[in-house]
Amino acid sequence: MAWTRNVLRVDLTNGTCKSEPLNMEWAQQYLGQRGLATKYFVSEVDPKVDPLSPANKMIMTTGPLTGTPVSTGGRYSVVTKGALTGAIACSNSGGYFGAELKFAGWDMIIFEGKSLKPVYLSIVNDQAELKDAAHLWGKSTWHTEETIKKEHQDPLTRVCSIGRAGENGVMYACIINDLHRAAGRSGVGTVMGSKNLKAVAVRGTNGVSTIRDPKAFMAATVAAKKVLADNAVTGQGLPTYGTQVLMNVINEMGALPTRNHRDVQFEEARKISAEAMAEKRPSDGKSHLVTNNACFGCTIACGRISKIDETHFSVVNKPEYWGASGGLEYEAAWALGAANGVGDLEALQYANLLCNEEGFDPISFGATVGAAMELYELGILTKEQIGMEAPFGSAKAVCEMAEMTARGEGFGKELGQGSARLCEKYGRPDLSMTVKKQEFPAYDSRAIQGMGLTYATSNRGACHLRSYTVASEVLGIPFKTDPLVTEGKAGLVKAFQDATSVFDSAGVCVFTTFAWSLADLQPQLDAACEGNWTMEKLAEVGERIYNMERLFNNAAGFTAKDDDLPPRLKTEAAKTGPAKGLVSGIDKMRPEYYQLRGWDEQGVPSKETLGRLGL
Amino acid sequence: MQKSLHIDANKCTGCLQCEMACSYENYGVFITAKSRIKIFDFENEGRKVPYTCTQCAEAWCLMACPVDAIRLDAVTGAKVVNEATCVGCKVCTIACPFGTINYVAATGKVQKCDLCDGDPACATACPTGAITYVDADWTGFDKMRAWAGKTDNATRASA
Amino acid sequence: MKHLIIGAGAAGITAAEQLRKLDPAASITVLDGEGEAAPYARMAIPYLLSNQIVEAGTHLRRDPDHYRTLRIDIEKGRAAAVDPVASLVRLVDGRVLPYDRLLIATGSVPSREKVAGIDLPGVHTCWTLADARAIIASLRPGTRVVQMGAGFVGCIIIQGLMSRGADLTVLIRSGRMVSRMMPPKASDMIAQWCAAKGVHVMGKTQTAKIEQDGNSLKVTLTTGEILPADIYLSVVGVKPGIDFLAGSGIAMQDGIVVDARMRTNLPGIYAAGDVAESCDCVTGKSQINAIQPNAVEQARIAALNMAGGAADFVGSLAINVLDTLGLVSCSFGQWQGVEGGAGVELVDEANYRYLSLQFGDDVLIGATSIGWTDHVGVLRGLIQTSTPLGVWKERLLADPTTFMAAYLATSQKAA
Ligand SMILES: Cc1cc2nc3c(=O)[nH]c(=O)nc-3n(C[C@H](O)[C@H](O)[C@H](O)COP(=O)(O)OP(=O)(O)OC[C@H]3O[C@@H](n4cnc5c(N)ncnc54)[C@H](O)[C@@H]3O)c2cc1C
Ligand code: SF4
Ligand code: SF4
Ligand code: SF4
């Protein structure tokens, strides 16, 4: 049993921390992390709750494989009702925080209520207490992390925190841990901020000693690591180029959404690609990329560590940004760059650093800027309203908008609302490239049809990580499908969604799925956890989790019409590239998908489906 | 030929697989806090530096121990702590100028790298080749050794 | 070649082993003045007191045949005088031992308090195995112990006394515990810790007289206060064991004066360990650093030279690690700092953590810590090698807890 079997319940209203035993019956049905925490969440929280009210809860959770030598076994997730979406949210992050929480002896922390004053939670093994955070409020995540480590006199204290974005109600604020790792999407940081909870600091020296069959487990982890090492993507592509390896590939496919999805190819994609990051720049003869980095336990090491160009306009007099820090991942590079038509790598990095420093999601932020730029170009937003000229392609505008959003100043307040609320306010909801109010990531659903269905049916709003069909449609993993057709995508999406639910509930990173199928995960889980974790059981758990999330959303008021894409993707054909002339076939795929899922035309799971899954 | 741990910090990604392997090998628990090899993080430079005992020739720890609890393993060349003999006086921890032998309050004894009897778990676990176990002549420890010499003119003078 | 070593402590035994390594043919004799079953380490006495080890656990070497295998003769007997002209050592029992090379490694002897009653039966010191045995024999749960002195030895034996249930009162003349190893703030923290663990700590007082009172003792303090006691422990420091050398012509100040090769002023006669006064590598002054690692290192150097080599001692460094009832403290080098030198002190009383770093121009010269046990050895490394700190000096002044990073960055660029 790789669970610690301990749940920490933190009542922020009353300032108490209590330990309670993990519900092991649920653990057998929902595994851990995403699945198990969501089970707790939906059992305890009214689906109609206002996400920013004290009645909403927030759960930080590890998986059974977190804190073990399983490759990438360092993940934790934050489950809540998303501030941005109003849907179930589950944001997953790497770094070292998750493993430390597990080492301290906790499977999850359930935060309830709202603190009167800013506080942070300090955990040292079984000792948990809320501490005053008045001196941290108003400070960045970087400052917070550094201050807490110093106060605890322990550089190995791991910290997750919100920055000013989370405090100021930026709707897509994230929770940052280990300086540049984020539980990024859906506004989980906004929820944290609404609770006056600034940070969680944890030190664990107990470790994980509850593996069911250690010998079999070690053998299984070694075998699975070999699979990752031997795979071209996880063994070479990701360590060398990071996720940014995709920039040129996706652009060539005509699937790189550009200028708020007006275009599907970006003429300057190369300038913001992995290749560009590795080249020596003319200004100082150094490359942007310093090295790659791993999260806890990860044998892939896709993380980028970059050094910004000290002479770039965004940081000339700001040495605090000159050091090595978290670099651009593909989604961020796309959102800050291509989505706005900006091809200035250093400007994107600066905005990216601000996102990490003050804790907001670069995908949602970048895409919101794209919407604002389109509104500006259409004359709906003026220079005066925004406070600057903001045409597509303006690197300066991206940098300044990032600053004003971080600080919650001027037009930054509106940008902080996300593109759905922004476009709604200015009378053009059609220009918001979102599903369930959450901004799209970096794949155009006209050129990669499966991603359209992925976005539309993702339980947490538009998201690539709920069923990354890019793997199949672009990279041929586990088998190649044609990205331009809709046939077979409903089944593909369902299969990916269910499998991903299992990976997200185990404590590992979804990037392992470039090389691992459930069959690679299963022996590791089974050796670690009590309960005979067969392939069949895992498949069922995955489907159960997906349906449970769906039920919550339905009860929260979401319907089939929320499983849809913006009109642009359904009516404005791709202008260039292999998908030229195509629109998204979402309306064709959705009914088939519902049917495969055992849902009615309204997207409501049928009695049989629920019965079959024990829901 | 005796072998030693060769560390190439440039290859280290900070995954801590080595720390988990070390703690599991010695305590049967996955707990980085108890690892004898430590990864130090120079965030601002993007550098991760794995660090552990080099089984230095001077063996300050061994020399300092009042009760003969640290012995030389003739096969591996490791300086090995015999927990049953160690009284927990900690004098070795201040004698080693490299800071690589440390007191463990939970056991009341000290711990240091013992090369896992010639099959170092950290080197096996490292996915990047940042830690390898190679013939002693090939290691890049000369610098560290030279530095160690600075704390010990005597050895140099008499050598 | 006949090597004679007076003293079977850490220094004497290390020197004998080193000599054997260098000279397989030499005759090596170690004079053991205490007559215990085997040469032992005084340092292990605290752990005998706390019952963590048995007497054999204090032995310097594990293997019972160790000395026989190495052909080192352990001769029981005490030296009474050295005759450098005749190259002879006279023993208390009248025997005479000749030598070609002589190493004096007689260590320290406990200082004697000059108060009435110091020779009463219930009065002990704590320096030898015999002392420890006597203390253990009369310690029961509830035994009232009055201990005069809270230096290093005084502090490190508290655990042993308390673990046997002693009702312990510690008298401190200066008012500061381990005042020769810790800055005032750190001393206070250790005293507070002891008090919190049930030790009665009385500062700024000392014993005026000790009297027999039936089966127990009556300890009168200079303040007039009277304490009943079952055991009186006098641990007021040590001095070099050099009395038997009076008139030998060997140059002595506080201890035996030696040069960098551990030579005394007389040819063929060396000294090492607690008894020797040598150059301190930070202060550059001649002084005694009566600690185990020093004794061993000096002995090694002495042996190299006795065997005909030419090795210099880089100088001793005061390094101490002390466990006071579970609170671990360390001090290194010139922990007091120097005038005009920069320093930083981090105090966390609530958590019993303390860290002080003291600097010369661009180097670390001293450090004190409480509650830090990981990687503290690098503090020694940085001090002893005078590693230039560069930018790290400022960083350490801002945050002394980063000393390990400072060490790696300045000393391990190769890593
Ligand atoms: C309780 C206690 C705890 C200690 N803890 C520490 C510690 O934690 N760290 C540390 O560094 N140091 C510690 N010390 C000090 C340390 O033990 C000494 O520094 C060390 O023993 C010095 O070694 P040495 O060989 O010079 O002298 P010693 O070990 O004292 O050996 C001297 C030897 O000479 C013999 N001898 C003396 N006079 C004569 C004579 N006339 N003829 C024949 N033989 C003679 C003695 O019997 C003895 O065998 C502690 C000491 C004590 C008592
Ligand atoms: S612990 Fe230190 S002194 Fe001992 S062998 Fe290792 S490096 Fe040398
Ligand atoms: S702590 Fe143990 S190993 Fe280290 S010197 Fe003391 S007795 Fe020897
Ligand atoms: S296993 Fe290798 S790459 Fe990972 S932290 Fe250790 S040394 Fe670095």
Side-chain angles (χ1 to χ4, degrees):
Chain A
M1 41 148 189
W3 303 273
T4 68
R5 296 179 179 234
N6 294 317
V7 174
L8 178 63
R9 194 174 286 274
V10 179
D11 180 341
L12 292 160
T13 309
N14 295 306
T16 57
C17 301
K18 282 202 193 89
S19 164
E20 63 186 50
L22 185 72
N23 186 325
M24 290 310 292
E25 205 178 310
W26 287 354
Q28 286 299 324
Q29 292 161 359
Y30 298 92
L31 188 52
Q33 205 169 349
R34 174 173 160 192
L36 190 53
T38 306
K39 176 63 184 171
Y40 270 87
F41 187 82
V42 302
S43 307
E44 297 185 11
V45 179
D46 175 3
K48 299 250 185 256
V49 75
D50 171 356
L52 299 181
S53 72
N56 191 12
K57 298 191 185 185
M58 182 182 85
I59 304 182
M60 287 184 180
T61 168
T62 61
L65 300 183
T66 305
T68 74
V70 166
S71 186
T72 77
R75 313 291 301 189
Y76 80 103
S77 291
V78 182
V79 171
T80 186
K81 183 169 173 177
L84 182 68
T85 56
I88 190 77
C90 174
S91 295
N92 183 306
S93 179
Y96 301 102
F97 179 84
E100 199 72 24
L101 183 58
K102 189 79 173 279
F103 289 161
W106 302 101
D107 288 319
M108 61 174 86
I109 315 171
I110 302 176
F111 292 97
E112 312 178 331
K114 173 182 178 169
S115 171
L116 216 56
K117 288 180 302 194
V119 287
Y120 79 93
L121 176 66
S122 163
I123 300 177
V124 180
N125 294 328
D126 55 353
Q127 301 294 316
E129 63 174 314
L130 289 167
K131 294 191 170 179
D132 181 50
H135 61 305
L136 301 171
W137 205 253
K139 298 293 192 326
S140 72
T141 66
W142 294 351
H143 178 94
T144 300
E145 198 170 319
E146 191 186 326
T147 307
I148 290 179
K149 286 183 177 183
K150 221 166 147 176
E151 283 174 5
H152 289 217
Q153 295 169 34
D154 185 356
L156 290 175
T157 295
R158 307 297 187 180
V159 179
C160 75
S161 65
I162 55 167
R164 284 188 287 179
E167 298 173 7
N168 294 339
V170 169
M171 294 303 267
Y172 43 83
C174 36
I175 301 171
I176 300 282
N177 58 284
D178 303 292
L179 301 179
H180 31 71
R181 291 284 146 191
R185 302 224 68 192
S186 315
V188 294
T190 325
V191 173
M192 184 156 159
S194 77
K195 301 194 167 307
N196 268 331
L197 178 64
K198 178 68 180 177
V200 179
V202 54
R203 180 74 162 117
T205 56
N206 293 332
V208 174
S209 56
T210 51
I211 297 299
R212 185 181 65 80
D213 181 347
K215 247 183 120 180
F217 179 70
M218 291 310 275
T221 64
V222 168
K225 282 178 199 161
K226 183 153 187 333
V227 174
L228 292 175
D230 292 345
N231 179 280
V233 178
T234 52
Q236 287 156 31
L238 286 175
T240 314
Y241 298 110
T243 51
Q244 271 276 62
V245 68
L246 288 166
M247 185 63 75
N248 289 329
V249 178
I250 300 293
N251 192 44
E252 309 244 299
M253 290 184 63
L256 189 70
T258 301
R259 290 173 281 267
N260 205 32
H261 286 63
R262 277 181 173 178
D263 300 301
V264 293
Q265 287 182 311
F266 181 38
E267 58 289 350
E268 296 188 89
R270 206 191 168 283
K271 287 170 65 182
I272 59 170
S273 68
E275 290 79 356
M277 284 171 73
E279 274 162 19
K280 294 208 181 340
R281 54 195 168 209
S283 58
D284 58 3
K286 295 192 191 123
S287 67
H288 184 84
L289 180 71
V290 176
T291 181
N292 67 326
N293 242 195
C295 295
F296 182 92
C298 175
T299 57
I300 304 173
C302 75
R304 303 291 96 181
I305 296 295
S306 295
K307 263 190 192 167
I308 203 164
D309 181 349
E310 293 171 13
T311 63
H312 188 262
F313 74 80
S314 59
V315 293
V316 242
N317 290 316
K318 301 174 190 162
E320 64 269 31
Y321 295 104
W322 293 353
S325 192
L328 290 162
E329 312 296 335
Y330 170 62
E331 308 297 332
W334 162 80
L336 301 166
N340 312 311
V342 174
D344 177 345
L345 184 68
E346 306 295 336
L348 308 191
Q349 173 64 1
Y350 175 65
N352 192 50
L353 289 173
L354 289 180
C355 286
N356 289 338
E357 185 183 20
E358 297 297 355
F360 53 107
D361 173 17
I363 303 181
S364 284
F365 166 72
T368 302
V369 170
M373 284 181 167
E374 182 155 12
L375 290 169
Y376 173 84
E377 297 220 333
L378 293 171
I380 300 170
L381 278 174
T382 64
K383 182 181 162 199
E384 287 65 41
Q385 278 170 307
I386 301 180
M388 71 190 89
E389 310 214 24
F392 280 124
S394 170
K396 207 163 153 283
V398 169
C399 293
E400 280 177 28
M401 285 183 179
E403 286 169 0
M404 58 189 357
T405 303
R407 294 191 205 117
E409 289 168 4
F411 188 68
K413 275 212 166 346
E414 305 205 24
L415 287 168
Q417 294 301 298
S419 97
R421 290 171 175 87
L422 181 77
C423 294
E424 178 81 45
K425 175 169 178 186
Y426 292 100
R428 290 299 300 273
D430 56 307
L431 292 182
S432 170
M433 296 298 123
T434 52
V435 173
K436 300 184 181 71
K437 296 200 175 70
Q438 178 154 292
E439 291 74 10
F440 291 124
Y443 314 89
D444 199 295
S445 29
R446 290 164 292 199
I448 308 178
Q449 292 286 339
M451 287 310 280
L453 185 60
T454 290
Y455 296 153
T457 61
S458 156
N459 287 329
R460 69 167 184 175
C463 166
H464 56 301
L465 293 172
R466 282 298 173 269
S467 65
Y468 194 64
T469 59
V470 172
S472 166
E473 299 179 86
V474 180
L475 305 165
I477 299 167
F479 48 83
K480 183 81 174 84
T481 52
D482 182 347
L484 301 177
V485 305
T486 56
E487 285 76 42
K489 295 298 163 62
L492 187 70
V493 167
K494 174 182 180 295
F496 271 56
Q497 284 174 338
D498 292 348
T500 303
S501 301
V502 175
F503 278 84
D504 283 348
S505 302
V508 300
C509 175
V510 73
F511 284 3
T512 56
T513 61
F514 284 116
W516 288 355
S517 67
L518 266 190
D520 295 290
L521 185 63
Q522 182 270 334
Q524 306 184 75
L525 270 175
D526 189 48
C529 308
E530 273 158 6
N532 197 20
W533 291 85
T534 60
M535 288 293 285
E536 295 69 40
K537 177 166 167 176
L538 286 175
E540 192 183 291
V541 164
E543 193 175 358
R544 183 180 297 129
I545 292 167
Y546 213 83
N547 278 274
M548 162 177 66
E549 293 172 341
R550 179 75 183 188
L551 287 176
F552 180 88
N553 281 352
N554 286 349
F558 289 92
T559 64
K561 73 171 180 17
D562 298 300
D563 293 343
D564 205 358
L565 300 178
R568 170 167 285 168
L569 300 176
K570 304 209 289 181
T571 57
E572 293 176 28
K575 292 180 201 145
T576 59
K580 187 171 173 184
L582 283 183
V583 295
S584 166
I586 180 66
D587 293 331
K588 249 179 81 192
M589 294 182 283
R590 192 189 310 104
E592 191 191 342
Y593 170 84
Y594 282 0
Q595 207 187 355
L596 280 174
R597 277 246 170 251
W599 298 352
D600 68 15
E601 314 82 77
Q602 288 312 304
V604 178
S606 69
K607 277 226 159 57
E608 301 83 81
T609 305
L610 296 181
R612 180 169 58 79
L613 296 170
L615 281 164
Chain B
M1 157 107 25
Q2 263 177 7
K3 292 179 150 198
S4 60
L5 288 174
H6 175 58
I7 292 186
D8 180 352
N10 288 327
K11 289 188 177 158
C12 176
T13 61
C15 69
L16 307 193
Q17 284 284 351
C18 51
E19 294 194 6
M20 273 188 286
C22 179
S23 64
Y24 181 69
E25 173 79 20
N26 292 300
Y27 300 97
V29 183
F30 304 122
I31 179 60
T32 50
K34 293 207 176 118
S35 173
R36 297 164 184 185
I37 186 161
K38 295 274 179 203
I39 307 303
F40 290 88
D41 201 340
F42 290 84
E43 278 292 346
N44 213 33
E45 291 148 46
R47 259 160 55 83
K48 313 262 182 184
V49 181
Y51 188 65
T52 191
C53 164
T54 61
Q55 316 300 342
C56 74
E58 293 74 16
W60 306 86
C61 60
L62 181 152
M63 293 291 285
C65 179
V67 294
D68 207 12
I70 306 178
R71 291 281 188 91
L72 179 73
D73 182 320
V75 179
T76 61
K79 320 294 183 289
V80 182
V81 178
N82 179 348
E83 277 208 18
T85 309
C86 171
V87 295
C89 71
K90 309 165 202 69
V91 76
C92 52
T93 69
I94 56 166
C96 165
F98 308 109
T100 47
I101 180 162
N102 292 305
Y103 180 64
V104 183
T107 58
K109 316 275 173 175
V110 293
Q111 69 164 8
K112 69 179 290 296
C113 167
D114 60 5
L115 293 179
C116 298
D117 284 336
D119 183 11
C122 57
T124 309
C126 178
T128 65
I131 312 172
T132 46
Y133 192 50
V134 298
D135 285 349
D137 275 1
W138 298 5
T139 69
F141 280 137
D142 296 352
K143 266 206 174 142
M144 183 162 172
R145 290 254 163 83
W147 185 82
K150 270 211 276 176
T151 55
D152 187 21
N153 286 341
T155 310
R156 273 203 302 200
S158 65
Chain C
M1 179 72 71
K2 262 193 175 48
H3 292 293
L4 179 61
I5 297 167
I6 312 178
I13 295 303
T14 303
E17 290 165 347
Q18 186 74 34
L19 281 169
R20 176 53 76 227
K21 223 191 261 176
L22 298 165
D23 187 351
S27 134
I28 302 169
T29 303
V30 181
L31 198 54
D32 176 358
E34 277 172 53
E36 294 293 348
Y40 71 94
R42 305 204 187 290
M43 272 188 71
I45 288 173
Y47 310 97
L48 182 67
L49 286 178
S50 58
N51 219 1
Q52 283 166 267
I53 51 171
V54 295
E55 280 193 15
T58 67
H59 293 172
L60 281 162
R61 301 295 177 252
R62 295 298 99 204
D63 178 1
D65 285 335
H66 180 76
Y67 302 103
R68 199 153 14 113
T69 316
L70 289 182
R71 287 173 291 119
I72 294 171
D73 296 327
I74 309 285
E75 195 70 50
K76 310 273 179 212
R78 282 194 85 75
V82 173
D83 179 346
V85 182
S87 291
L88 291 175
V89 172
R90 293 179 205 288
L91 305 199
V92 174
D93 60 18
R95 282 184 291 157
V96 171
L97 295 178
Y99 65 82
D100 296 320
R101 299 266 188 285
L102 177 68
L103 176 67
I104 303 168
T106 48
S108 316
V109 289
S111 303
R112 223 176 110 87
E113 268 180 273
K114 291 186 189 63
V115 295
I118 198 73
D119 291 318
L120 286 169
V123 176
H124 303 276
T125 185
C126 185
W127 191 247
T128 63
L129 211 44
D131 295 335
R133 242 177 247 134
I135 294 167
I136 291 169
S138 46
L139 252 186
R140 300 281 173 280
T143 300
R144 294 161 302 175
V145 179
V146 172
Q147 175 182 317
M148 180 67 223
F152 184 90
V153 170
C155 281
I156 204 159
I157 61 173
I158 293 177
Q159 169 83 43
L161 301 174
M162 295 298 279
S163 73
R164 287 177 188 265
D167 174 3
L168 177 64
T169 302
V170 175
L171 312 176
I172 315 170
R173 191 173 48 137
S174 71
R176 276 181 50 203
M177 293 185 98
V178 271
S179 55
R180 299 231 212 110
M181 168 177 158
M182 292 275 150
K185 190 79 239 171
S187 289
D188 290 352
M189 283 168 77
I190 296 175
Q192 255 165 33
W193 174 268
C194 288
K197 297 258 165 178
V199 179
H200 315 289
V201 180
M202 299 176 71
K204 296 235 180 279
T205 185
Q206 67 188 61
T207 307
K209 64 178 174 190
I210 313 163
E211 293 159 298
Q212 193 72 39
D213 183 15
N215 279 334
S216 31
L217 300 170
K218 199 170 96 183
V219 181
T220 308
L221 308 188
T222 45
T223 49
E225 209 169 329
I226 293 174
L227 303 174
D230 302 306
I231 297 179
Y232 183 88
L233 259 183
S234 175
V235 280
V236 292
V238 294
K239 54 183 202 289
I242 50 176
D243 290 353
F244 72 105
L245 296 174
S248 65
I250 296 171
M252 298 182 278
Q253 286 171 15
D254 288 337
I256 300 173
V257 180
V258 292
D259 65 8
R261 304 219 161 142
M262 297 292 121
R263 291 180 294 210
T264 66
N265 61 318
L266 299 182
I269 303 183
Y270 298 74
D274 281 10
V275 80
E277 183 182 322
S278 68
C279 172
D280 180 279
C281 75
V282 183
T283 62
K285 290 193 200 113
S286 177
Q287 68 187 60
I288 297 176
N289 285 328
I291 53 170
Q292 165 97 7
N294 230 6
V296 170
E297 184 60 10
Q298 289 184 342
R300 204 172 65 82
I301 301 294
L304 286 165
N305 291 309
M306 287 166 77
D312 284 347
F313 184 51
V314 280
S316 65
L317 181 68
I319 53 174
N320 280 293
V321 54
L322 170 65
D323 191 327
T324 316
L325 287 170
L327 187 66
V328 181
S329 55
C330 304
S331 76
F332 300 86
Q334 268 181 299
W335 50 266
Q336 319 87 323
V338 283
E339 242 189 82
V344 54
E345 192 180 44
L346 187 137
V347 184
D348 177 2
E349 283 180 273
N351 295 305
Y352 289 102
R353 272 160 83 83
Y354 175 92
L355 188 60
S356 149
L357 302 180
Q358 300 299 328
F359 300 87
D361 294 343
D362 189 31
V363 297
L364 191 67
I365 57 166
T368 318
S369 70
I370 295 178
W372 293 83
T373 51
D374 279 349
H375 315 301
V376 284
V378 303
L379 293 171
R380 175 197 181 164
L382 286 170
I383 294 168
Q384 189 148 9
T385 56
S386 302
T387 305
L389 294 170
V391 293
W392 282 95
K393 182 176 169 188
E394 285 310 311
R395 286 183 198 167
L396 284 170
L397 283 168
D399 184 358
T401 70
T402 57
F403 64 83
M404 185 60 188
Y407 162 78
L408 284 174
T410 54
S411 310
Q412 296 288 313
K413 294 211 178 75

